[in-house]
Amino acid sequence: MNEPVKKPARKKVELDPRFVNYKHVWVFIEAERGVVHPVSWELLGEGRKLADALGVELAGVVMGPPGERTRQICGEAFHYGADLCYLAQDEVLRDYRNEPYTRALTELVDTYQPEIMLLGASTLGRDLAGSVATTLATGLVADCTELVIEADSRNLASTRPTFGGSLLCTIMTQRHRPQMATVRPRVMAMPDADTARSGRIVEHKLAIIESSIITKVLEFIPDAQQDKPQLAFADIIVSGGRGFKKQENFQLVWDLAKVLGAEVGASRPIVQAGWVELDRQVGQSGKTVRPKLYIAAGISGAIQHRVGMDGSDVIIAINNDPNAPIFDFAHYGIVGNAMQILPALTEAFRAQIALARRAG
Amino acid sequence: MHSVVCIKQVPDSAQIRVHPVTNTIMRQGVPAIINPYDLFALEEALRLKDRFGGTVTVITMGPPMAEVALRKCLSFGADDAILVSDRAFAGADTLATSYALAAAIGKIRENMPVDLIFTGKQTIDGDTAQVGPGIARRLDYQLLTYVSAIREIDHEKREILVERRAEGGVQVLKTKLPCLITMLEGTNEMRYGDMDDMFRAARHPLKQWDRLAAGIEDPNVVGLKGSPTVVGKVFAPKPRSQRAEIIETVDNDPKNLVVTLLAKVFTQHPKLEREIERLAK
């Protein structure tokens, strides 16, 4: 029965000779108005593993306006695992704009020649990665959920969801360098900062003049702080899916979230039906979350949803189908009707918290 | 004002199922739709036409069946439609796709200058958001991604003022035409075509361009050959080493089930219990 399947001998694809000297792993450190996007630190954690597997160095790429703050970011990158940082400081890099950032990053790649370059799949990172990869005519894999070095070829094997998140596929860039990949925020774990770590800075002078840049930033209107759900960094999330049948039943999810001080999440069909706003969608086409507790009620657990919440510390699933895929990766499960179990769970938590309050 | 809108025909991913035994995609019967994000791009182009006059051309790269998607766009009010289709394009990744589309748009430009190219922010089947930036780069158009509003267009100065969704806020950007805009979802609402447009859409002679008609001499820059990325294995994710611990009680009464659940969870994760008490206060 279990005879090993004989794999067809894979045709070995040689690296284009232009790229034989490309070496080391880079992470683009995304900073806007002096604030680093946490995805950059998550990527340094992942980049560290890749660099160690290859026996090469890990570099952060820091770009921004002249000034002490931009330079400080290099120090932070060392704490999160970088061995060195390439630092490009120029007035044209004050606000993010596609053209100067594409030109600067392309120039750095051409000059210092990395074999792997990772960027966050944020609005900025996706804008930049697509432009840089096209300019360099190299491969770019979006929204990876796993990055490993293939032992024999030393190529980067990037795994990402495909077919609308119903399967995973592994993609490689064999002939071209750098091998580029983006990873969505919160997909990789945040590494611990080691403030004792330090590294060296390679300063790179750009020769981009403002008058050559066509697009101008007239204004930046920051989002009001409280008007958006903050699922990505929530400690507890209660999510609901199709098991609630009707919009009014979804109130049960809100009830439990209120008792727990949690955020409300939802699977894609719920968002598409308009029961909750877009910012609450968890999954491949929504948010990736890593809470301490994730309660999935009436959610079957399609890959599309799974890739958005797989990193949660504790997952409790409630579903009336004992064969639902959610039970393959949840930690605890109750087989039953979410519309009956959830109110009971709300009451149980309420009692637990009341007891703790009385005791404390 | 001439806008080119790039669209893609995609399988309705909400209806894709994976065969439980063979782990392969069951494509049969899955309806093909216009990528929903592209409709925001098309509607925005049609609105500009309403405001300033001009022409809206829709383009797609895909198999012959993508004609249906293009005719749908005509019925919404697009003026012309081009299907870029050739066996040589099969297996294209985003880099090879942007090459073919940029070449075809280059051909369109030979007859009528293109002021704006619109795309959706991404597709629902690939989710990469890479083809729009790729086309802009190849044609050397200014790139404006995640645009939530077009505030002004000054035809004299050939300037455009847009709002762009950025991390933590909205950027107000001014740039020059021509440029490529990837439209954010939810920014407008697709119109219904009127009867005249529907009849016109059915009769409209659709242009179909193969590789050479799209102006691509070298077959090695498109399709699988022109794609630096290689797809290895496609697979279903592994379950965790342990399946979920299913909580059961003798009567399976909801109350008893949840009490048993919480007792178990808190015994095994005492930190979580303290965390919940902290958060609830």
Side-chain angles (χ1 to χ4, degrees):
Chain A
M1 268 279 282
N2 280 329
E3 260 181 297
V5 181
K6 204 167 179 195
K7 278 194 195 151
R10 200 190 316 168
K11 209 173 81 186
K12 197 166 185 310
V13 180
E14 295 288 338
L15 182 64
D16 188 310
R18 285 178 294 162
F19 302 116
V20 289
N21 293 324
Y22 280 58
K23 211 175 163 187
H24 305 304
V25 177
W26 284 15
V27 171
F28 174 76
I29 309 294
E30 174 177 336
E32 279 195 288
R33 291 166 298 284
V35 181
V36 177
H37 197 302
V39 72
S40 303
W41 306 145
E42 293 161 13
L43 286 179
L44 280 177
E46 208 56 25
R48 185 71 261 166
K49 293 180 211 161
L50 299 177
D52 290 345
L54 287 165
V56 298
E57 287 189 310
L58 174 66
V61 180
V62 178
M63 309 204 294
E68 199 43 43
R69 176 58 200 146
T70 309
R71 183 173 287 272
Q72 268 174 6
I73 292 171
C74 297
E76 292 167 30
F78 300 141
H79 297 165
Y80 285 104
D83 298 308
L84 72 156
C85 276
Y86 294 98
L87 174 64
Q89 290 185 290
D90 197 301
E91 201 50 53
V92 297
L93 303 173
R94 181 164 293 280
D95 286 290
Y96 176 75
R97 286 176 294 174
N98 178 266
E99 189 180 1
Y101 270 75
T102 299
R103 281 165 64 177
L105 188 54
T106 307
E107 184 175 315
L108 285 168
V109 168
D110 285 339
T111 310
Y112 304 102
Q113 306 186 336
E115 59 192 299
I116 291 172
M117 180 156 72
L118 310 178
L119 298 92
S122 57
T123 53
L124 189 161
R126 283 173 162 235
D127 183 282
L128 181 61
S131 302
V132 170
T134 308
T135 312
L136 296 168
T138 190
L140 166 61
V141 187
D143 296 350
C144 300
T145 53
E146 196 186 345
L147 299 168
V148 291
I149 301 297
E150 201 191 49
D152 45 347
S153 70
R154 291 170 62 86
N155 282 330
L156 176 67
S158 309
T159 296
R160 74 180 303 263
T162 184
F163 290 111
S166 43
L167 287 176
L168 297 169
C169 68
T170 301
I171 298 179
M172 296 213 275
T173 299
Q174 294 163 321
R175 285 180 53 81
H176 297 79
R177 294 290 180 267
Q179 306 159 84
M180 290 178 62
T182 66
V183 178
R184 286 154 38 107
R186 306 296 278 162
V187 167
M188 303 299 180
M190 176 68 80
D192 292 324
D194 175 0
T195 50
R197 279 189 100 262
S198 182
R200 59 185 203 281
I201 294 177
V202 178
E203 285 203 57
H204 185 88
K205 276 267 164 285
L206 296 169
I208 304 175
I209 47 169
E210 180 58 41
S211 59
S212 73
I213 307 297
I214 295 169
T215 301
K216 309 290 178 193
V217 180
L218 301 190
E219 201 187 341
F220 181 82
I221 308 162
D223 293 331
Q225 278 302 312
Q226 57 278 48
D227 66 350
K228 283 194 148 208
Q230 299 294 333
L231 259 67
F233 291 90
D235 285 319
I236 305 179
I237 294 174
V238 185
S239 272
R242 267 196 279 222
F244 287 92
K245 305 273 196 285
K246 278 196 267 176
Q247 182 164 15
E248 45 277 32
N249 298 333
F250 204 79
Q251 183 59 36
L252 299 172
V253 176
W254 289 97
D255 293 345
L256 175 55
K258 188 157 180 247
V259 166
L260 291 174
E263 283 284 3
V264 167
S267 62
R268 186 167 60 181
I270 301 305
V271 173
Q272 282 180 344
W275 295 5
V276 297
E277 61 262 53
L278 193 66
D279 286 312
R280 299 199 180 276
Q281 185 179 327
V282 174
Q284 165 70 3
S285 44
K287 295 269 180 300
T288 304
V289 300
R290 305 179 75 90
K292 297 189 171 89
L293 174 62
Y294 189 92
I295 300 174
I299 292 176
S300 66
I303 296 174
Q304 133 84 338
H305 189 75
R306 176 177 176 175
V307 297
M309 43 68 81
D310 218 1
S312 308
D313 291 346
V314 176
I315 300 168
I316 296 175
I318 302 160
N319 201 295
N320 57 8
D321 175 7
N323 298 316
I326 190 101
F327 293 123
D328 289 339
F329 55 94
H331 301 97
Y332 302 94
I334 292 180
V335 179
N337 184 341
M339 288 182 279
Q340 288 162 6
I341 305 290
L342 216 59
L345 194 56
T346 306
E347 280 319 305
F349 273 120
R350 205 197 298 275
Q352 165 94 19
I353 289 160
L355 198 67
R357 276 195 194 143
R358 205 166 307 154
Chain B
M1 202 58 207
H2 183 199
S3 299
V4 170
V5 183
C6 304
I7 66 143
K8 187 181 182 190
Q9 190 183 46
V10 296
D12 188 348
S13 67
Q15 302 196 33
I16 289 184
R17 294 284 175 275
V18 180
H19 193 282
V21 177
T22 59
N23 261 335
T24 50
I25 294 275
M26 307 199 300
R27 291 169 196 263
Q28 288 91 340
V30 177
I33 55 172
I34 300 172
N35 174 43
Y37 292 121
D38 297 345
L39 294 177
F40 300 105
L42 176 59
E43 174 60 26
E44 202 61 28
L46 292 172
R47 286 184 185 194
L48 290 185
K49 186 188 158 192
D50 293 344
R51 271 163 74 184
F52 304 112
T55 306
V56 174
T57 304
V58 192
I59 184 170
T60 193
M61 183 182 108
M65 68 178 267
E67 179 184 334
V68 181
L70 288 175
R71 290 209 185 274
K72 187 98 188 154
C73 294
L74 291 169
S75 81
F76 288 134
D79 299 287
D80 202 4
I82 298 162
L83 172 61
V84 185
S85 189
D86 196 307
R87 281 182 181 280
F89 298 148
D93 70 0
T94 57
L95 196 80
T97 302
S98 72
Y99 189 98
L101 283 170
I105 295 169
K107 274 282 163 194
I108 295 172
R109 270 199 305 196
E110 289 177 7
N111 292 319
M112 193 195 296
V114 174
D115 303 300
L116 281 164
I117 302 171
F118 282 97
T119 73
K121 75 161 190 183
Q122 64 197 56
T123 59
I124 59 164
D125 59 344
D127 277 316
T128 68
Q130 283 162 206
V131 174
I135 294 170
R137 199 72 277 289
R138 291 183 184 285
L139 294 172
D140 204 15
Y141 276 31
Q142 289 297 304
L143 172 66
L144 303 168
T145 51
Y146 308 106
V147 169
S148 51
I150 297 177
R151 279 197 189 172
E152 288 166 36
I153 295 181
D154 183 332
H155 290 276
E156 296 278 292
K157 293 188 185 153
R158 294 197 50 77
E159 279 176 356
I160 181 166
L161 198 65
V162 303
E163 294 178 14
R164 169 179 186 266
R165 161 82 1 226
E167 294 291 324
V170 170
Q171 277 185 327
V172 182
L173 298 173
K174 185 164 89 174
T175 194
K176 293 266 189 205
L177 299 176
C179 62
L180 184 144
I181 288 176
T182 84
M183 210 60 208
L184 199 65
E185 77 276 18
T187 44
N188 56 38
E189 208 171 306
M190 191 70 216
R191 65 194 59 195
Y192 290 101
D194 58 26
M195 234 12 158
D196 288 349
D197 279 328
M198 286 185 202
F199 284 125
R200 189 178 56 83
R203 286 195 302 261
H204 188 90
L206 212 72
K207 294 191 183 76
Q208 185 164 337
W209 290 358
D210 62 8
R211 175 173 64 82
L212 289 170
I216 302 162
E217 300 288 330
D218 183 358
N220 295 312
V221 293
V222 291
L224 199 58
K225 284 182 183 161
S227 299
T229 60
V230 179
V231 179
K233 55 177 180 177
V234 176
F235 57 102
K238 284 195 285 281
R240 252 189 240 285
S241 49
Q242 258 181 317
R243 264 178 66 91
E245 182 175 351
I246 301 292
I247 309 295
E248 286 168 309
T249 57
V250 185
D251 54 0
N252 274 345
D253 174 71
K255 261 188 204 149
N256 296 334
L257 279 171
V258 299
V259 169
T260 313
L261 170 75
L262 291 194
K264 194 152 258 172
V265 172
F266 290 148
T267 313
Q268 290 170 10
H269 304 274
K271 262 165 74 182
L272 186 63
E273 183 173 15
R274 288 196 295 278
E275 185 72 25
I276 285 170
E277 286 161 4
R278 184 183 65 81
L279 279 165
K281 281 171 193 169

